[in-house]
Amino acid sequence: MDNPRGEKSFVVGSARIGAAPLEPALYLVATPIGNLGDITLRALEVLAGADIVACEDTRVSRVLLARYGIGQSLTAYHEHNADKAGPRLLAALEAGQSVALISDAGTPLVSDPGYRLVDQVIEKGLRVVPIPGPSAVLAALSASGLPTDAFLFAGFLPVKDGQRRTRLETFRQMPATLVFFESPRRVDDSLAAMADVLGGTRQACVARELTKTFEELRRGTLSDLAAHYADTGAPKGEVVVCVAPPDSEEETSAEDVDRLLMALSDEMSASKAAGEAARMTGGRKSELYQRLLALKAERDAE
């Protein structure tokens, strides 16, 4: 398994496999979310063959590379050093080098840094190549038992309760399964807010430690799940929450529309809020805009 010549290669089992040089491009490489065996052969070829491997945390990524005998040095690229590291990576790409970008786990840019770099690479007319693989979003969704024909990945909810409920209100009538990332420390509060805003009878699934030894998928209504984690306390490991879409036969009441308008107006202008509400409810933008102005006037008069 030794590689005395320093050739670019990787190890699978007892076999060392050579990695061909890569064409100049930014390669977005998905890495395991827990079980290191979930890496793809193509991902290993890219990580071994790239001129530069950029990652969030060199300590985390070094474990993966060592597991497969990849002797690459690592360059840190994360939200705290993007202003300095980004231009260096862009310069390397312009000079004809290949750059592999990985996150600590899963698919890069899914709730991870990297968007700005990809945008800059595209603006320069350079190539971006996705190397698909593990994703906590898709793993949780596929095993949740909830509809998969349409889904919305909503990332992390705001930490403050008021902002969290405002954000949830914008998703209340979304005709799709909702997928959230959540901190183990906040999962009980978030589930309680979801039960209040989205409806306690909605079916949901809390997935944690996906692909790891203590993987767990707990299914039930939002009210039941909120009560469970309120009693048991914070679970261990990374958490993904999937929530079923609203009942297709459920009518949107005037009160629901008012709540949606006010929630949207907290995050955008009145005109944009009315337009978004029209898209979500099927109402007329002009009428919703006038209703929003009236609601704001009522609130200001109180």
PDB file of all heavy atoms in Angstrom, residues 137-174:
ATOM      1  N   VAL A 137     -29.729  15.468   3.402  1.00  0.00           N
ATOM      2  CA  VAL A 137     -31.082  15.871   3.009  1.00  0.00           C
ATOM      3  C   VAL A 137     -31.794  14.716   2.318  1.00  0.00           C
ATOM      4  O   VAL A 137     -32.908  14.329   2.693  1.00  0.00           O
ATOM      5  CB  VAL A 137     -31.031  17.100   2.083  1.00  0.00           C
ATOM      6  CG1 VAL A 137     -32.416  17.406   1.539  1.00  0.00           C
ATOM      7  CG2 VAL A 137     -30.470  18.304   2.826  1.00  0.00           C
ATOM      8  N   LEU A 138     -31.172  14.143   1.305  1.00  0.00           N
ATOM      9  CA  LEU A 138     -31.809  13.078   0.537  1.00  0.00           C
ATOM     10  C   LEU A 138     -31.885  11.778   1.321  1.00  0.00           C
ATOM     11  O   LEU A 138     -32.842  11.009   1.183  1.00  0.00           O
ATOM     12  CB  LEU A 138     -31.054  12.862  -0.777  1.00  0.00           C
ATOM     13  CG  LEU A 138     -31.081  14.059  -1.738  1.00  0.00           C
ATOM     14  CD1 LEU A 138     -30.300  13.742  -3.000  1.00  0.00           C
ATOM     15  CD2 LEU A 138     -32.507  14.438  -2.080  1.00  0.00           C
ATOM     16  N   ALA A 139     -30.892  11.509   2.167  1.00  0.00           N
ATOM     17  CA  ALA A 139     -30.930  10.290   2.967  1.00  0.00           C
ATOM     18  C   ALA A 139     -32.116  10.318   3.933  1.00  0.00           C
ATOM     19  O   ALA A 139     -32.857   9.330   4.059  1.00  0.00           O
ATOM     20  CB  ALA A 139     -29.622  10.136   3.749  1.00  0.00           C
ATOM     21  N   ALA A 140     -32.318  11.454   4.601  1.00  0.00           N
ATOM     22  CA  ALA A 140     -33.431  11.574   5.541  1.00  0.00           C
ATOM     23  C   ALA A 140     -34.767  11.544   4.809  1.00  0.00           C
ATOM     24  O   ALA A 140     -35.705  10.862   5.229  1.00  0.00           O
ATOM     25  CB  ALA A 140     -33.297  12.867   6.341  1.00  0.00           C
ATOM     26  N   LEU A 141     -34.855  12.282   3.711  1.00  0.00           N
ATOM     27  CA  LEU A 141     -36.108  12.353   2.959  1.00  0.00           C
ATOM     28  C   LEU A 141     -36.516  10.984   2.432  1.00  0.00           C
ATOM     29  O   LEU A 141     -37.683  10.586   2.534  1.00  0.00           O
ATOM     30  CB  LEU A 141     -35.957  13.343   1.806  1.00  0.00           C
ATOM     31  CG  LEU A 141     -37.172  13.515   0.891  1.00  0.00           C
ATOM     32  CD1 LEU A 141     -38.336  14.141   1.658  1.00  0.00           C
ATOM     33  CD2 LEU A 141     -36.803  14.377  -0.314  1.00  0.00           C
ATOM     34  N   SER A 142     -35.581  10.241   1.883  1.00  0.00           N
ATOM     35  CA  SER A 142     -35.908   8.963   1.266  1.00  0.00           C
ATOM     36  C   SER A 142     -36.399   7.938   2.278  1.00  0.00           C
ATOM     37  O   SER A 142     -37.198   7.062   1.946  1.00  0.00           O
ATOM     38  CB  SER A 142     -34.680   8.407   0.522  1.00  0.00           C
ATOM     39  OG  SER A 142     -33.616   8.144   1.425  1.00  0.00           O
ATOM     40  N   ALA A 143     -35.944   8.042   3.529  1.00  0.00           N
ATOM     41  CA  ALA A 143     -36.332   7.074   4.556  1.00  0.00           C
ATOM     42  C   ALA A 143     -37.423   7.590   5.483  1.00  0.00           C
ATOM     43  O   ALA A 143     -37.838   6.879   6.399  1.00  0.00           O
ATOM     44  CB  ALA A 143     -35.102   6.684   5.384  1.00  0.00           C
ATOM     45  N   SER A 144     -37.893   8.804   5.251  1.00  0.00           N
ATOM     46  CA  SER A 144     -38.853   9.426   6.164  1.00  0.00           C
ATOM     47  C   SER A 144     -40.252   8.829   6.063  1.00  0.00           C
ATOM     48  O   SER A 144     -41.037   8.893   7.006  1.00  0.00           O
ATOM     49  CB  SER A 144     -38.940  10.936   5.899  1.00  0.00           C
ATOM     50  OG  SER A 144     -39.529  11.191   4.622  1.00  0.00           O
ATOM     51  N   GLY A 145     -40.590   8.287   4.890  1.00  0.00           N
ATOM     52  CA  GLY A 145     -41.949   7.823   4.667  1.00  0.00           C
ATOM     53  C   GLY A 145     -42.898   8.926   4.264  1.00  0.00           C
ATOM     54  O   GLY A 145     -44.104   8.717   4.177  1.00  0.00           O
ATOM     55  N   LEU A 146     -42.364  10.113   3.989  1.00  0.00           N
ATOM     56  CA  LEU A 146     -43.173  11.265   3.602  1.00  0.00           C
ATOM     57  C   LEU A 146     -43.087  11.462   2.084  1.00  0.00           C
ATOM     58  O   LEU A 146     -42.187  10.920   1.438  1.00  0.00           O
ATOM     59  CB  LEU A 146     -42.681  12.515   4.338  1.00  0.00           C
ATOM     60  CG  LEU A 146     -42.703  12.426   5.861  1.00  0.00           C
ATOM     61  CD1 LEU A 146     -42.100  13.682   6.468  1.00  0.00           C
ATOM     62  CD2 LEU A 146     -44.115  12.196   6.374  1.00  0.00           C
ATOM     63  N   PRO A 147     -44.011  12.227   1.494  1.00  0.00           N
ATOM     64  CA  PRO A 147     -44.000  12.432   0.044  1.00  0.00           C
ATOM     65  C   PRO A 147     -42.671  12.996  -0.448  1.00  0.00           C
ATOM     66  O   PRO A 147     -42.085  13.884   0.177  1.00  0.00           O
ATOM     67  CB  PRO A 147     -45.131  13.438  -0.171  1.00  0.00           C
ATOM     68  CG  PRO A 147     -46.059  13.210   0.977  1.00  0.00           C
ATOM     69  CD  PRO A 147     -45.176  12.881   2.140  1.00  0.00           C
ATOM     70  N   THR A 148     -42.203  12.467  -1.569  1.00  0.00           N
ATOM     71  CA  THR A 148     -40.916  12.895  -2.124  1.00  0.00           C
ATOM     72  C   THR A 148     -41.050  13.524  -3.512  1.00  0.00           C
ATOM     73  O   THR A 148     -40.044  13.896  -4.105  1.00  0.00           O
ATOM     74  CB  THR A 148     -39.954  11.702  -2.232  1.00  0.00           C
ATOM     75  OG1 THR A 148     -40.556  10.687  -3.057  1.00  0.00           O
ATOM     76  CG2 THR A 148     -39.647  11.114  -0.865  1.00  0.00           C
ATOM     77  N   ASP A 149     -42.289  13.648  -4.010  1.00  0.00           N
ATOM     78  CA  ASP A 149     -42.465  14.204  -5.352  1.00  0.00           C
ATOM     79  C   ASP A 149     -42.138  15.688  -5.401  1.00  0.00           C
ATOM     80  O   ASP A 149     -41.769  16.218  -6.452  1.00  0.00           O
ATOM     81  CB  ASP A 149     -43.883  13.956  -5.858  1.00  0.00           C
ATOM     82  CG  ASP A 149     -44.947  14.498  -4.905  1.00  0.00           C
ATOM     83  OD1 ASP A 149     -44.695  14.531  -3.690  1.00  0.00           O
ATOM     84  OD2 ASP A 149     -46.032  14.871  -5.388  1.00  0.00           O
ATOM     85  N   ALA A 150     -42.265  16.371  -4.262  1.00  0.00           N
ATOM     86  CA  ALA A 150     -41.878  17.781  -4.161  1.00  0.00           C
ATOM     87  C   ALA A 150     -41.387  18.023  -2.740  1.00  0.00           C
ATOM     88  O   ALA A 150     -42.046  17.636  -1.778  1.00  0.00           O
ATOM     89  CB  ALA A 150     -43.059  18.697  -4.472  1.00  0.00           C
ATOM     90  N   PHE A 151     -40.222  18.631  -2.608  1.00  0.00           N
ATOM     91  CA  PHE A 151     -39.711  18.926  -1.263  1.00  0.00           C
ATOM     92  C   PHE A 151     -38.942  20.235  -1.287  1.00  0.00           C
ATOM     93  O   PHE A 151     -38.447  20.679  -2.324  1.00  0.00           O
ATOM     94  CB  PHE A 151     -38.840  17.783  -0.724  1.00  0.00           C
ATOM     95  CG  PHE A 151     -37.526  17.601  -1.445  1.00  0.00           C
ATOM     96  CD1 PHE A 151     -36.369  18.239  -1.014  1.00  0.00           C
ATOM     97  CD2 PHE A 151     -37.444  16.761  -2.552  1.00  0.00           C
ATOM     98  CE1 PHE A 151     -35.158  18.054  -1.678  1.00  0.00           C
ATOM     99  CE2 PHE A 151     -36.244  16.578  -3.223  1.00  0.00           C
ATOM    100  CZ  PHE A 151     -35.099  17.226  -2.782  1.00  0.00           C
ATOM    101  N   LEU A 152     -38.855  20.859  -0.113  1.00  0.00           N
ATOM    102  CA  LEU A 152     -38.141  22.123   0.052  1.00  0.00           C
ATOM    103  C   LEU A 152     -37.106  21.964   1.149  1.00  0.00           C
ATOM    104  O   LEU A 152     -37.454  21.641   2.290  1.00  0.00           O
ATOM    105  CB  LEU A 152     -39.115  23.251   0.422  1.00  0.00           C
ATOM    106  CG  LEU A 152     -38.453  24.568   0.848  1.00  0.00           C
ATOM    107  CD1 LEU A 152     -37.802  25.242  -0.352  1.00  0.00           C
ATOM    108  CD2 LEU A 152     -39.461  25.508   1.491  1.00  0.00           C
ATOM    109  N   PHE A 153     -35.836  22.179   0.812  1.00  0.00           N
ATOM    110  CA  PHE A 153     -34.803  22.193   1.833  1.00  0.00           C
ATOM    111  C   PHE A 153     -34.705  23.597   2.398  1.00  0.00           C
ATOM    112  O   PHE A 153     -34.394  24.550   1.675  1.00  0.00           O
ATOM    113  CB  PHE A 153     -33.453  21.766   1.256  1.00  0.00           C
ATOM    114  CG  PHE A 153     -32.316  21.928   2.227  1.00  0.00           C
ATOM    115  CD1 PHE A 153     -32.327  21.267   3.446  1.00  0.00           C
ATOM    116  CD2 PHE A 153     -31.246  22.751   1.933  1.00  0.00           C
ATOM    117  CE1 PHE A 153     -31.289  21.422   4.357  1.00  0.00           C
ATOM    118  CE2 PHE A 153     -30.203  22.914   2.826  1.00  0.00           C
ATOM    119  CZ  PHE A 153     -30.228  22.246   4.037  1.00  0.00           C
ATOM    120  N   ALA A 154     -34.996  23.749   3.690  1.00  0.00           N
ATOM    121  CA  ALA A 154     -35.063  25.065   4.316  1.00  0.00           C
ATOM    122  C   ALA A 154     -33.868  25.371   5.207  1.00  0.00           C
ATOM    123  O   ALA A 154     -33.861  26.394   5.897  1.00  0.00           O
ATOM    124  CB  ALA A 154     -36.356  25.184   5.125  1.00  0.00           C
ATOM    125  N   GLY A 155     -32.872  24.507   5.235  1.00  0.00           N
ATOM    126  CA  GLY A 155     -31.680  24.767   6.030  1.00  0.00           C
ATOM    127  C   GLY A 155     -31.977  24.818   7.520  1.00  0.00           C
ATOM    128  O   GLY A 155     -32.839  24.097   8.024  1.00  0.00           O
ATOM    129  N   PHE A 156     -31.251  25.683   8.241  1.00  0.00           N
ATOM    130  CA  PHE A 156     -31.458  25.859   9.675  1.00  0.00           C
ATOM    131  C   PHE A 156     -32.480  26.965   9.923  1.00  0.00           C
ATOM    132  O   PHE A 156     -32.448  28.003   9.257  1.00  0.00           O
ATOM    133  CB  PHE A 156     -30.150  26.240  10.370  1.00  0.00           C
ATOM    134  CG  PHE A 156     -29.178  25.106  10.534  1.00  0.00           C
ATOM    135  CD1 PHE A 156     -28.207  24.868   9.577  1.00  0.00           C
ATOM    136  CD2 PHE A 156     -29.237  24.277  11.643  1.00  0.00           C
ATOM    137  CE1 PHE A 156     -27.301  23.820   9.723  1.00  0.00           C
ATOM    138  CE2 PHE A 156     -28.341  23.236  11.806  1.00  0.00           C
ATOM    139  CZ  PHE A 156     -27.368  23.007  10.836  1.00  0.00           C
ATOM    140  N   LEU A 157     -33.367  26.759  10.869  1.00  0.00           N
ATOM    141  CA  LEU A 157     -34.293  27.803  11.289  1.00  0.00           C
ATOM    142  C   LEU A 157     -33.573  28.819  12.161  1.00  0.00           C
ATOM    143  O   LEU A 157     -32.556  28.493  12.788  1.00  0.00           O
ATOM    144  CB  LEU A 157     -35.458  27.186  12.073  1.00  0.00           C
ATOM    145  CG  LEU A 157     -36.459  26.374  11.259  1.00  0.00           C
ATOM    146  CD1 LEU A 157     -37.394  25.610  12.201  1.00  0.00           C
ATOM    147  CD2 LEU A 157     -37.250  27.271  10.322  1.00  0.00           C
ATOM    148  N   PRO A 158     -34.079  30.061  12.248  1.00  0.00           N
ATOM    149  CA  PRO A 158     -33.469  31.052  13.142  1.00  0.00           C
ATOM    150  C   PRO A 158     -33.450  30.577  14.590  1.00  0.00           C
ATOM    151  O   PRO A 158     -34.316  29.797  15.008  1.00  0.00           O
ATOM    152  CB  PRO A 158     -34.380  32.272  12.979  1.00  0.00           C
ATOM    153  CG  PRO A 158     -34.995  32.112  11.634  1.00  0.00           C
ATOM    154  CD  PRO A 158     -35.186  30.633  11.461  1.00  0.00           C
ATOM    155  N   VAL A 159     -32.493  31.045  15.346  1.00  0.00           N
ATOM    156  CA  VAL A 159     -32.352  30.629  16.744  1.00  0.00           C
ATOM    157  C   VAL A 159     -33.434  31.252  17.628  1.00  0.00           C
ATOM    158  O   VAL A 159     -34.009  30.587  18.484  1.00  0.00           O
ATOM    159  CB  VAL A 159     -30.951  31.018  17.269  1.00  0.00           C
ATOM    160  CG1 VAL A 159     -30.846  30.702  18.761  1.00  0.00           C
ATOM    161  CG2 VAL A 159     -29.869  30.279  16.481  1.00  0.00           C
ATOM    162  N   LYS A 160     -33.745  32.542  17.398  1.00  0.00           N
ATOM    163  CA  LYS A 160     -34.738  33.222  18.230  1.00  0.00           C
ATOM    164  C   LYS A 160     -36.140  32.731  17.899  1.00  0.00           C
ATOM    165  O   LYS A 160     -36.491  32.559  16.729  1.00  0.00           O
ATOM    166  CB  LYS A 160     -34.633  34.730  18.034  1.00  0.00           C
ATOM    167  CG  LYS A 160     -33.311  35.314  18.546  1.00  0.00           C
ATOM    168  CD  LYS A 160     -33.290  36.818  18.411  1.00  0.00           C
ATOM    169  CE  LYS A 160     -31.986  37.401  18.969  1.00  0.00           C
ATOM    170  NZ  LYS A 160     -31.933  38.877  18.841  1.00  0.00           N
ATOM    171  N   ASP A 161     -36.933  32.524  18.933  1.00  0.00           N
ATOM    172  CA  ASP A 161     -38.243  31.903  18.752  1.00  0.00           C
ATOM    173  C   ASP A 161     -39.154  32.714  17.832  1.00  0.00           C
ATOM    174  O   ASP A 161     -39.837  32.146  16.966  1.00  0.00           O
ATOM    175  CB  ASP A 161     -38.928  31.711  20.111  1.00  0.00           C
ATOM    176  CG  ASP A 161     -40.222  30.925  19.991  1.00  0.00           C
ATOM    177  OD1 ASP A 161     -40.165  29.755  19.560  1.00  0.00           O
ATOM    178  OD2 ASP A 161     -41.282  31.471  20.327  1.00  0.00           O
ATOM    179  N   GLY A 162     -39.190  34.031  18.006  1.00  0.00           N
ATOM    180  CA  GLY A 162     -40.064  34.855  17.181  1.00  0.00           C
ATOM    181  C   GLY A 162     -39.689  34.769  15.712  1.00  0.00           C
ATOM    182  O   GLY A 162     -40.560  34.628  14.844  1.00  0.00           O
ATOM    183  N   GLN A 163     -38.409  34.866  15.412  1.00  0.00           N
ATOM    184  CA  GLN A 163     -37.947  34.777  14.032  1.00  0.00           C
ATOM    185  C   GLN A 163     -38.179  33.382  13.474  1.00  0.00           C
ATOM    186  O   GLN A 163     -38.506  33.218  12.296  1.00  0.00           O
ATOM    187  CB  GLN A 163     -36.469  35.138  13.958  1.00  0.00           C
ATOM    188  CG  GLN A 163     -36.170  36.575  14.327  1.00  0.00           C
ATOM    189  CD  GLN A 163     -34.683  36.872  14.362  1.00  0.00           C
ATOM    190  OE1 GLN A 163     -33.849  35.968  14.296  1.00  0.00           O
ATOM    191  NE2 GLN A 163     -34.342  38.152  14.463  1.00  0.00           N
ATOM    192  N   ARG A 164     -38.009  32.375  14.330  1.00  0.00           N
ATOM    193  CA  ARG A 164     -38.241  30.987  13.900  1.00  0.00           C
ATOM    194  C   ARG A 164     -39.700  30.785  13.489  1.00  0.00           C
ATOM    195  O   ARG A 164     -39.988  30.201  12.438  1.00  0.00           O
ATOM    196  CB  ARG A 164     -37.864  30.032  15.028  1.00  0.00           C
ATOM    197  CG  ARG A 164     -38.118  28.565  14.720  1.00  0.00           C
ATOM    198  CD  ARG A 164     -37.400  27.686  15.716  1.00  0.00           C
ATOM    199  NE  ARG A 164     -37.659  28.080  17.087  1.00  0.00           N
ATOM    200  CZ  ARG A 164     -36.766  28.012  18.077  1.00  0.00           C
ATOM    201  NH1 ARG A 164     -35.544  27.569  17.843  1.00  0.00           N
ATOM    202  NH2 ARG A 164     -37.084  28.364  19.293  1.00  0.00           N
ATOM    203  N   ARG A 165     -40.624  31.304  14.280  1.00  0.00           N
ATOM    204  CA  ARG A 165     -42.047  31.156  13.973  1.00  0.00           C
ATOM    205  C   ARG A 165     -42.434  31.955  12.733  1.00  0.00           C
ATOM    206  O   ARG A 165     -43.280  31.519  11.937  1.00  0.00           O
ATOM    207  CB  ARG A 165     -42.893  31.573  15.184  1.00  0.00           C
ATOM    208  CG  ARG A 165     -42.781  30.570  16.333  1.00  0.00           C
ATOM    209  CD  ARG A 165     -43.417  31.070  17.614  1.00  0.00           C
ATOM    210  NE  ARG A 165     -43.234  30.103  18.692  1.00  0.00           N
ATOM    211  CZ  ARG A 165     -44.103  29.135  18.993  1.00  0.00           C
ATOM    212  NH1 ARG A 165     -45.245  29.028  18.307  1.00  0.00           N
ATOM    213  NH2 ARG A 165     -43.863  28.292  19.970  1.00  0.00           N
ATOM    214  N   THR A 166     -41.821  33.118  12.556  1.00  0.00           N
ATOM    215  CA  THR A 166     -42.075  33.907  11.353  1.00  0.00           C
ATOM    216  C   THR A 166     -41.635  33.141  10.115  1.00  0.00           C
ATOM    217  O   THR A 166     -42.350  33.101   9.101  1.00  0.00           O
ATOM    218  CB  THR A 166     -41.337  35.251  11.421  1.00  0.00           C
ATOM    219  OG1 THR A 166     -41.874  36.029  12.485  1.00  0.00           O
ATOM    220  CG2 THR A 166     -41.476  36.021  10.120  1.00  0.00           C
ATOM    221  N   ARG A 167     -40.453  32.528  10.175  1.00  0.00           N
ATOM    222  CA  ARG A 167     -39.970  31.751   9.039  1.00  0.00           C
ATOM    223  C   ARG A 167     -40.875  30.554   8.772  1.00  0.00           C
ATOM    224  O   ARG A 167     -41.205  30.260   7.615  1.00  0.00           O
ATOM    225  CB  ARG A 167     -38.545  31.270   9.331  1.00  0.00           C
ATOM    226  CG  ARG A 167     -37.915  30.464   8.197  1.00  0.00           C
ATOM    227  CD  ARG A 167     -37.570  31.306   6.995  1.00  0.00           C
ATOM    228  NE  ARG A 167     -36.684  32.400   7.355  1.00  0.00           N
ATOM    229  CZ  ARG A 167     -35.359  32.265   7.501  1.00  0.00           C
ATOM    230  NH1 ARG A 167     -34.787  31.097   7.322  1.00  0.00           N
ATOM    231  NH2 ARG A 167     -34.621  33.301   7.819  1.00  0.00           N
ATOM    232  N   LEU A 168     -41.300  29.870   9.818  1.00  0.00           N
ATOM    233  CA  LEU A 168     -42.180  28.714   9.643  1.00  0.00           C
ATOM    234  C   LEU A 168     -43.515  29.120   9.023  1.00  0.00           C
ATOM    235  O   LEU A 168     -44.101  28.368   8.235  1.00  0.00           O
ATOM    236  CB  LEU A 168     -42.414  28.024  10.993  1.00  0.00           C
ATOM    237  CG  LEU A 168     -41.250  27.193  11.536  1.00  0.00           C
ATOM    238  CD1 LEU A 168     -41.514  26.785  12.982  1.00  0.00           C
ATOM    239  CD2 LEU A 168     -41.021  25.963  10.673  1.00  0.00           C
ATOM    240  N   GLU A 169     -43.997  30.297   9.365  1.00  0.00           N
ATOM    241  CA  GLU A 169     -45.265  30.762   8.808  1.00  0.00           C
ATOM    242  C   GLU A 169     -45.189  30.864   7.287  1.00  0.00           C
ATOM    243  O   GLU A 169     -46.178  30.591   6.587  1.00  0.00           O
ATOM    244  CB  GLU A 169     -45.632  32.114   9.415  1.00  0.00           C
ATOM    245  CG  GLU A 169     -47.034  32.588   9.093  1.00  0.00           C
ATOM    246  CD  GLU A 169     -48.117  31.689   9.662  1.00  0.00           C
ATOM    247  OE1 GLU A 169     -48.089  31.406  10.873  1.00  0.00           O
ATOM    248  OE2 GLU A 169     -48.988  31.266   8.867  1.00  0.00           O
ATOM    249  N   THR A 170     -44.027  31.225   6.767  1.00  0.00           N
ATOM    250  CA  THR A 170     -43.888  31.334   5.311  1.00  0.00           C
ATOM    251  C   THR A 170     -43.941  29.976   4.633  1.00  0.00           C
ATOM    252  O   THR A 170     -44.172  29.896   3.417  1.00  0.00           O
ATOM    253  CB  THR A 170     -42.571  32.031   4.930  1.00  0.00           C
ATOM    254  OG1 THR A 170     -41.460  31.201   5.296  1.00  0.00           O
ATOM    255  CG2 THR A 170     -42.442  33.375   5.620  1.00  0.00           C
ATOM    256  N   PHE A 171     -43.720  28.904   5.399  1.00  0.00           N
ATOM    257  CA  PHE A 171     -43.749  27.555   4.837  1.00  0.00           C
ATOM    258  C   PHE A 171     -45.080  26.849   5.078  1.00  0.00           C
ATOM    259  O   PHE A 171     -45.279  25.731   4.612  1.00  0.00           O
ATOM    260  CB  PHE A 171     -42.643  26.692   5.462  1.00  0.00           C
ATOM    261  CG  PHE A 171     -41.244  27.205   5.253  1.00  0.00           C
ATOM    262  CD1 PHE A 171     -40.322  27.172   6.288  1.00  0.00           C
ATOM    263  CD2 PHE A 171     -40.854  27.717   4.026  1.00  0.00           C
ATOM    264  CE1 PHE A 171     -39.029  27.633   6.101  1.00  0.00           C
ATOM    265  CE2 PHE A 171     -39.566  28.187   3.827  1.00  0.00           C
ATOM    266  CZ  PHE A 171     -38.652  28.146   4.859  1.00  0.00           C
ATOM    267  N   ARG A 172     -45.990  27.496   5.788  1.00  0.00           N
ATOM    268  CA  ARG A 172     -47.186  26.818   6.288  1.00  0.00           C
ATOM    269  C   ARG A 172     -48.019  26.192   5.179  1.00  0.00           C
ATOM    270  O   ARG A 172     -48.539  25.089   5.326  1.00  0.00           O
ATOM    271  CB  ARG A 172     -48.034  27.798   7.093  1.00  0.00           C
ATOM    272  CG  ARG A 172     -49.162  27.152   7.874  1.00  0.00           C
ATOM    273  CD  ARG A 172     -49.765  28.159   8.863  1.00  0.00           C
ATOM    274  NE  ARG A 172     -50.753  27.513   9.692  1.00  0.00           N
ATOM    275  CZ  ARG A 172     -52.058  27.466   9.368  1.00  0.00           C
ATOM    276  NH1 ARG A 172     -52.479  28.002   8.237  1.00  0.00           N
ATOM    277  NH2 ARG A 172     -52.913  26.865  10.166  1.00  0.00           N
ATOM    278  N   GLN A 173     -48.184  26.874   4.069  1.00  0.00           N
ATOM    279  CA  GLN A 173     -49.010  26.379   2.971  1.00  0.00           C
ATOM    280  C   GLN A 173     -48.180  25.842   1.801  1.00  0.00           C
ATOM    281  O   GLN A 173     -48.724  25.588   0.727  1.00  0.00           O
ATOM    282  CB  GLN A 173     -49.934  27.499   2.475  1.00  0.00           C
ATOM    283  CG  GLN A 173     -50.955  27.953   3.502  1.00  0.00           C
ATOM    284  CD  GLN A 173     -51.892  26.830   3.922  1.00  0.00           C
ATOM    285  OE1 GLN A 173     -52.275  25.997   3.106  1.00  0.00           O
ATOM    286  NE2 GLN A 173     -52.251  26.802   5.190  1.00  0.00           N
ATOM    287  N   MET A 174     -46.894  25.647   2.010  1.00  0.00           N
ATOM    288  CA  MET A 174     -46.042  25.137   0.950  1.00  0.00           C
ATOM    289  C   MET A 174     -46.443  23.705   0.602  1.00  0.00           C
ATOM    290  O   MET A 174     -46.418  22.815   1.464  1.00  0.00           O
ATOM    291  CB  MET A 174     -44.577  25.170   1.401  1.00  0.00           C
ATOM    292  CG  MET A 174     -43.591  24.804   0.307  1.00  0.00           C
ATOM    293  SD  MET A 174     -43.519  26.022  -1.022  1.00  0.00           S
ATOM    294  CE  MET A 174     -42.881  27.455  -0.145  1.00  0.00           C
TER     295      MET A 174
END
